[in-house]
Amino acid sequence: MSDGNLLTDNPELYEQQFPDPGHRAARFVDDLVRRFADRTDPTPRLLDVGCGTGRDVGHLTTLGYTTVGLDTSVPMLTYARRRHPAVRFVHADLRDFDLTGPFDVVTCLDSAMLYCHTNADLTAFLRCCHRHLRPGGLLLAEMRNGAFFLGGTELLDGTRTRTVSWRGVPYTSATRLWIDHGGQLLRRERVWTWPACPRPLVQTSAWRLLFPAELRYLLDTTGFDVVALFDTPGPRTDPPWQPTAALSPALSGDRLHLVARRRTDPD
């Protein structure tokens, strides 16, 4: 089998594979909003693009946000609606969505933005975000850092194997990453096996690799000012984010974190 979607088709397995019991990702977002928002709203409106299982946007709702989650996966959205009834969930493409706004914050976490592989796709996504944010609103994104792969090869060395248990069944994944230099992509192959699997399930994906200066340029040309760009701390860094942690501008780590503000429309 090839090009399966085992994780997106089985949201409970996804959350087993990528646990966040302390809601660190959502708390990280809330921390950045508190640091950089240009005004204080009692119930800020937040759109989470690439919301997946709804875990992050669901927790942000409990922190006082009025929330909308957007994703392309029907199984993920079905699961999210069942688990987080206070959130409005929308099925749409991140390059072309049209919702009732404006929002105070748009988030795009865990490299979801990097599924935009071309400059045209990236520009379309950023223009959608700009259109849905109020002037002064924040775009918060968390992604792989293309600059890391200029010298860091530890994520590319060999295959990483992991086993998680879901409904009493052990699922083993063997993951390898490599660079597609011509496409400026980080490609991934994840091979799944479990006891009842007749043959391995091969799941492939790819992320666009963006460099910090390249990201700044894309944001500038789509109407954003970069407020902060840092590699650590974040919800998926080592050490992970903690409240009030200093933001490192070294930009040499595996992860890249962005805070950008939508410019005020010209008169």
Side-chain angles (χ1 to χ4, degrees), residues 61-83:
T61 303
T62 71
L63 300 181
Y65 292 79
T66 300
T67 55
V68 177
L70 181 151
D71 206 278
T72 60
S73 169
V74 172
M76 286 284 200
L77 291 171
T78 300
Y79 177 84
R81 290 184 180 109
R82 186 170 67 249
R83 292 290 299 272

PDB file of all heavy atoms in Angstrom, residues 61-83:
ATOM      1  N   THR A  61     -10.300  27.844  23.528  1.00  0.00           N
ATOM      2  CA  THR A  61     -11.672  28.236  23.863  1.00  0.00           C
ATOM      3  C   THR A  61     -11.863  28.298  25.363  1.00  0.00           C
ATOM      4  O   THR A  61     -12.520  29.215  25.883  1.00  0.00           O
ATOM      5  CB  THR A  61     -12.665  27.248  23.233  1.00  0.00           C
ATOM      6  OG1 THR A  61     -12.448  27.197  21.830  1.00  0.00           O
ATOM      7  CG2 THR A  61     -14.099  27.677  23.485  1.00  0.00           C
ATOM      8  N   THR A  62     -11.268  27.356  26.088  1.00  0.00           N
ATOM      9  CA  THR A  62     -11.392  27.364  27.551  1.00  0.00           C
ATOM     10  C   THR A  62     -10.640  28.531  28.176  1.00  0.00           C
ATOM     11  O   THR A  62     -10.905  28.887  29.329  1.00  0.00           O
ATOM     12  CB  THR A  62     -10.889  26.043  28.167  1.00  0.00           C
ATOM     13  OG1 THR A  62      -9.456  25.966  28.059  1.00  0.00           O
ATOM     14  CG2 THR A  62     -11.521  24.840  27.485  1.00  0.00           C
ATOM     15  N   LEU A  63      -9.712  29.124  27.426  1.00  0.00           N
ATOM     16  CA  LEU A  63      -8.954  30.281  27.923  1.00  0.00           C
ATOM     17  C   LEU A  63      -9.638  31.604  27.588  1.00  0.00           C
ATOM     18  O   LEU A  63      -9.084  32.673  27.870  1.00  0.00           O
ATOM     19  CB  LEU A  63      -7.534  30.266  27.343  1.00  0.00           C
ATOM     20  CG  LEU A  63      -6.678  29.047  27.682  1.00  0.00           C
ATOM     21  CD1 LEU A  63      -5.292  29.175  27.058  1.00  0.00           C
ATOM     22  CD2 LEU A  63      -6.565  28.848  29.192  1.00  0.00           C
ATOM     23  N   GLY A  64     -10.812  31.549  26.947  1.00  0.00           N
ATOM     24  CA  GLY A  64     -11.583  32.759  26.707  1.00  0.00           C
ATOM     25  C   GLY A  64     -11.644  33.229  25.276  1.00  0.00           C
ATOM     26  O   GLY A  64     -12.254  34.267  24.997  1.00  0.00           O
ATOM     27  N   TYR A  65     -11.034  32.506  24.344  1.00  0.00           N
ATOM     28  CA  TYR A  65     -11.069  32.898  22.942  1.00  0.00           C
ATOM     29  C   TYR A  65     -12.374  32.446  22.288  1.00  0.00           C
ATOM     30  O   TYR A  65     -12.920  31.390  22.620  1.00  0.00           O
ATOM     31  CB  TYR A  65      -9.903  32.259  22.183  1.00  0.00           C
ATOM     32  CG  TYR A  65      -8.537  32.790  22.574  1.00  0.00           C
ATOM     33  CD1 TYR A  65      -7.905  32.347  23.735  1.00  0.00           C
ATOM     34  CD2 TYR A  65      -7.877  33.724  21.785  1.00  0.00           C
ATOM     35  CE1 TYR A  65      -6.657  32.824  24.105  1.00  0.00           C
ATOM     36  CE2 TYR A  65      -6.628  34.204  22.138  1.00  0.00           C
ATOM     37  CZ  TYR A  65      -6.025  33.753  23.305  1.00  0.00           C
ATOM     38  OH  TYR A  65      -4.780  34.229  23.664  1.00  0.00           O
ATOM     39  N   THR A  66     -12.856  33.225  21.345  1.00  0.00           N
ATOM     40  CA  THR A  66     -13.933  32.810  20.443  1.00  0.00           C
ATOM     41  C   THR A  66     -13.248  32.214  19.224  1.00  0.00           C
ATOM     42  O   THR A  66     -12.478  32.909  18.545  1.00  0.00           O
ATOM     43  CB  THR A  66     -14.811  34.003  20.047  1.00  0.00           C
ATOM     44  OG1 THR A  66     -15.389  34.563  21.231  1.00  0.00           O
ATOM     45  CG2 THR A  66     -15.914  33.558  19.099  1.00  0.00           C
ATOM     46  N   THR A  67     -13.512  30.949  18.917  1.00  0.00           N
ATOM     47  CA  THR A  67     -12.617  30.216  18.030  1.00  0.00           C
ATOM     48  C   THR A  67     -13.321  29.599  16.828  1.00  0.00           C
ATOM     49  O   THR A  67     -14.485  29.212  16.880  1.00  0.00           O
ATOM     50  CB  THR A  67     -11.904  29.083  18.803  1.00  0.00           C
ATOM     51  OG1 THR A  67     -12.893  28.262  19.432  1.00  0.00           O
ATOM     52  CG2 THR A  67     -10.962  29.646  19.855  1.00  0.00           C
ATOM     53  N   VAL A  68     -12.530  29.481  15.746  1.00  0.00           N
ATOM     54  CA  VAL A  68     -12.904  28.739  14.553  1.00  0.00           C
ATOM     55  C   VAL A  68     -11.699  27.891  14.168  1.00  0.00           C
ATOM     56  O   VAL A  68     -10.564  28.362  14.188  1.00  0.00           O
ATOM     57  CB  VAL A  68     -13.284  29.673  13.381  1.00  0.00           C
ATOM     58  CG1 VAL A  68     -13.600  28.856  12.127  1.00  0.00           C
ATOM     59  CG2 VAL A  68     -14.455  30.572  13.756  1.00  0.00           C
ATOM     60  N   GLY A  69     -11.944  26.619  13.817  1.00  0.00           N
ATOM     61  CA  GLY A  69     -10.893  25.738  13.337  1.00  0.00           C
ATOM     62  C   GLY A  69     -11.137  25.371  11.894  1.00  0.00           C
ATOM     63  O   GLY A  69     -12.278  25.110  11.500  1.00  0.00           O
ATOM     64  N   LEU A  70     -10.069  25.330  11.105  1.00  0.00           N
ATOM     65  CA  LEU A  70     -10.179  25.045   9.671  1.00  0.00           C
ATOM     66  C   LEU A  70      -9.217  23.926   9.309  1.00  0.00           C
ATOM     67  O   LEU A  70      -8.057  23.930   9.722  1.00  0.00           O
ATOM     68  CB  LEU A  70      -9.855  26.321   8.883  1.00  0.00           C
ATOM     69  CG  LEU A  70      -9.925  26.306   7.363  1.00  0.00           C
ATOM     70  CD1 LEU A  70     -10.281  27.712   6.849  1.00  0.00           C
ATOM     71  CD2 LEU A  70      -8.614  25.865   6.720  1.00  0.00           C
ATOM     72  N   ASP A  71      -9.704  22.963   8.509  1.00  0.00           N
ATOM     73  CA  ASP A  71      -8.852  21.857   8.086  1.00  0.00           C
ATOM     74  C   ASP A  71      -9.430  21.254   6.801  1.00  0.00           C
ATOM     75  O   ASP A  71     -10.604  21.474   6.475  1.00  0.00           O
ATOM     76  CB  ASP A  71      -8.756  20.790   9.180  1.00  0.00           C
ATOM     77  CG  ASP A  71      -7.466  19.987   9.099  1.00  0.00           C
ATOM     78  OD1 ASP A  71      -7.399  19.042   8.288  1.00  0.00           O
ATOM     79  OD2 ASP A  71      -6.510  20.314   9.836  1.00  0.00           O
ATOM     80  N   THR A  72      -8.588  20.457   6.114  1.00  0.00           N
ATOM     81  CA  THR A  72      -9.037  19.776   4.890  1.00  0.00           C
ATOM     82  C   THR A  72      -9.467  18.342   5.144  1.00  0.00           C
ATOM     83  O   THR A  72     -10.053  17.710   4.259  1.00  0.00           O
ATOM     84  CB  THR A  72      -7.922  19.759   3.828  1.00  0.00           C
ATOM     85  OG1 THR A  72      -6.791  19.060   4.354  1.00  0.00           O
ATOM     86  CG2 THR A  72      -7.521  21.170   3.445  1.00  0.00           C
ATOM     87  N   SER A  73      -9.181  17.798   6.337  1.00  0.00           N
ATOM     88  CA  SER A  73      -9.457  16.392   6.621  1.00  0.00           C
ATOM     89  C   SER A  73     -10.847  16.231   7.233  1.00  0.00           C
ATOM     90  O   SER A  73     -11.098  16.707   8.353  1.00  0.00           O
ATOM     91  CB  SER A  73      -8.395  15.825   7.576  1.00  0.00           C
ATOM     92  OG  SER A  73      -8.795  14.558   8.060  1.00  0.00           O
ATOM     93  N   VAL A  74     -11.722  15.532   6.533  1.00  0.00           N
ATOM     94  CA  VAL A  74     -13.073  15.293   7.053  1.00  0.00           C
ATOM     95  C   VAL A  74     -13.056  14.448   8.331  1.00  0.00           C
ATOM     96  O   VAL A  74     -13.748  14.782   9.305  1.00  0.00           O
ATOM     97  CB  VAL A  74     -13.966  14.661   5.966  1.00  0.00           C
ATOM     98  CG1 VAL A  74     -15.309  14.226   6.540  1.00  0.00           C
ATOM     99  CG2 VAL A  74     -14.174  15.650   4.814  1.00  0.00           C
ATOM    100  N   PRO A  75     -12.283  13.350   8.408  1.00  0.00           N
ATOM    101  CA  PRO A  75     -12.249  12.590   9.666  1.00  0.00           C
ATOM    102  C   PRO A  75     -11.745  13.421  10.843  1.00  0.00           C
ATOM    103  O   PRO A  75     -12.278  13.298  11.956  1.00  0.00           O
ATOM    104  CB  PRO A  75     -11.292  11.438   9.345  1.00  0.00           C
ATOM    105  CG  PRO A  75     -11.368  11.272   7.866  1.00  0.00           C
ATOM    106  CD  PRO A  75     -11.539  12.654   7.331  1.00  0.00           C
ATOM    107  N   MET A  76     -10.734  14.257  10.620  1.00  0.00           N
ATOM    108  CA  MET A  76     -10.249  15.113  11.699  1.00  0.00           C
ATOM    109  C   MET A  76     -11.339  16.068  12.169  1.00  0.00           C
ATOM    110  O   MET A  76     -11.557  16.247  13.376  1.00  0.00           O
ATOM    111  CB  MET A  76      -9.027  15.910  11.227  1.00  0.00           C
ATOM    112  CG  MET A  76      -7.750  15.097  11.095  1.00  0.00           C
ATOM    113  SD  MET A  76      -7.025  14.762  12.713  1.00  0.00           S
ATOM    114  CE  MET A  76      -5.339  14.383  12.231  1.00  0.00           C
ATOM    115  N   LEU A  77     -12.049  16.682  11.237  1.00  0.00           N
ATOM    116  CA  LEU A  77     -13.088  17.632  11.602  1.00  0.00           C
ATOM    117  C   LEU A  77     -14.267  16.953  12.293  1.00  0.00           C
ATOM    118  O   LEU A  77     -14.846  17.506  13.239  1.00  0.00           O
ATOM    119  CB  LEU A  77     -13.561  18.380  10.354  1.00  0.00           C
ATOM    120  CG  LEU A  77     -12.545  19.346   9.737  1.00  0.00           C
ATOM    121  CD1 LEU A  77     -13.040  19.846   8.389  1.00  0.00           C
ATOM    122  CD2 LEU A  77     -12.271  20.517  10.672  1.00  0.00           C
ATOM    123  N   THR A  78     -14.612  15.759  11.859  1.00  0.00           N
ATOM    124  CA  THR A  78     -15.686  15.014  12.517  1.00  0.00           C
ATOM    125  C   THR A  78     -15.328  14.733  13.967  1.00  0.00           C
ATOM    126  O   THR A  78     -16.153  14.910  14.887  1.00  0.00           O
ATOM    127  CB  THR A  78     -15.947  13.694  11.765  1.00  0.00           C
ATOM    128  OG1 THR A  78     -16.339  13.990  10.416  1.00  0.00           O
ATOM    129  CG2 THR A  78     -17.043  12.891  12.436  1.00  0.00           C
ATOM    130  N   TYR A  79     -14.112  14.291  14.183  1.00  0.00           N
ATOM    131  CA  TYR A  79     -13.615  14.031  15.538  1.00  0.00           C
ATOM    132  C   TYR A  79     -13.593  15.322  16.356  1.00  0.00           C
ATOM    133  O   TYR A  79     -14.023  15.353  17.521  1.00  0.00           O
ATOM    134  CB  TYR A  79     -12.223  13.427  15.433  1.00  0.00           C
ATOM    135  CG  TYR A  79     -11.526  13.157  16.743  1.00  0.00           C
ATOM    136  CD1 TYR A  79     -11.759  11.978  17.452  1.00  0.00           C
ATOM    137  CD2 TYR A  79     -10.603  14.058  17.258  1.00  0.00           C
ATOM    138  CE1 TYR A  79     -11.097  11.718  18.643  1.00  0.00           C
ATOM    139  CE2 TYR A  79      -9.933  13.809  18.442  1.00  0.00           C
ATOM    140  CZ  TYR A  79     -10.181  12.634  19.136  1.00  0.00           C
ATOM    141  OH  TYR A  79      -9.525  12.376  20.320  1.00  0.00           O
ATOM    142  N   ALA A  80     -13.081  16.411  15.753  1.00  0.00           N
ATOM    143  CA  ALA A  80     -12.957  17.681  16.466  1.00  0.00           C
ATOM    144  C   ALA A  80     -14.326  18.213  16.887  1.00  0.00           C
ATOM    145  O   ALA A  80     -14.484  18.704  18.010  1.00  0.00           O
ATOM    146  CB  ALA A  80     -12.241  18.694  15.575  1.00  0.00           C
ATOM    147  N   ARG A  81     -15.313  18.118  16.014  1.00  0.00           N
ATOM    148  CA  ARG A  81     -16.651  18.607  16.355  1.00  0.00           C
ATOM    149  C   ARG A  81     -17.243  17.833  17.530  1.00  0.00           C
ATOM    150  O   ARG A  81     -17.948  18.400  18.374  1.00  0.00           O
ATOM    151  CB  ARG A  81     -17.568  18.505  15.138  1.00  0.00           C
ATOM    152  CG  ARG A  81     -17.230  19.487  14.026  1.00  0.00           C
ATOM    153  CD  ARG A  81     -18.235  19.424  12.879  1.00  0.00           C
ATOM    154  NE  ARG A  81     -17.896  20.372  11.819  1.00  0.00           N
ATOM    155  CZ  ARG A  81     -17.431  20.027  10.623  1.00  0.00           C
ATOM    156  NH1 ARG A  81     -17.291  18.739  10.311  1.00  0.00           N
ATOM    157  NH2 ARG A  81     -17.130  20.943   9.724  1.00  0.00           N
ATOM    158  N   ARG A  82     -16.958  16.553  17.573  1.00  0.00           N
ATOM    159  CA  ARG A  82     -17.482  15.721  18.658  1.00  0.00           C
ATOM    160  C   ARG A  82     -16.795  16.053  19.987  1.00  0.00           C
ATOM    161  O   ARG A  82     -17.449  16.089  21.039  1.00  0.00           O
ATOM    162  CB  ARG A  82     -17.283  14.246  18.314  1.00  0.00           C
ATOM    163  CG  ARG A  82     -17.927  13.283  19.314  1.00  0.00           C
ATOM    164  CD  ARG A  82     -17.920  11.866  18.804  1.00  0.00           C
ATOM    165  NE  ARG A  82     -16.581  11.313  18.695  1.00  0.00           N
ATOM    166  CZ  ARG A  82     -15.957  11.028  17.556  1.00  0.00           C
ATOM    167  NH1 ARG A  82     -16.574  11.253  16.397  1.00  0.00           N
ATOM    168  NH2 ARG A  82     -14.742  10.528  17.552  1.00  0.00           N
ATOM    169  N   ARG A  83     -15.502  16.315  19.931  1.00  0.00           N
ATOM    170  CA  ARG A  83     -14.741  16.557  21.158  1.00  0.00           C
ATOM    171  C   ARG A  83     -14.827  17.997  21.644  1.00  0.00           C
ATOM    172  O   ARG A  83     -14.672  18.253  22.839  1.00  0.00           O
ATOM    173  CB  ARG A  83     -13.261  16.204  20.911  1.00  0.00           C
ATOM    174  CG  ARG A  83     -12.986  14.717  20.690  1.00  0.00           C
ATOM    175  CD  ARG A  83     -13.179  13.916  21.965  1.00  0.00           C
ATOM    176  NE  ARG A  83     -12.276  14.350  23.015  1.00  0.00           N
ATOM    177  CZ  ARG A  83     -11.041  13.877  23.199  1.00  0.00           C
ATOM    178  NH1 ARG A  83     -10.561  12.956  22.362  1.00  0.00           N
ATOM    179  NH2 ARG A  83     -10.290  14.317  24.184  1.00  0.00           N
TER     180      ARG A  83
END
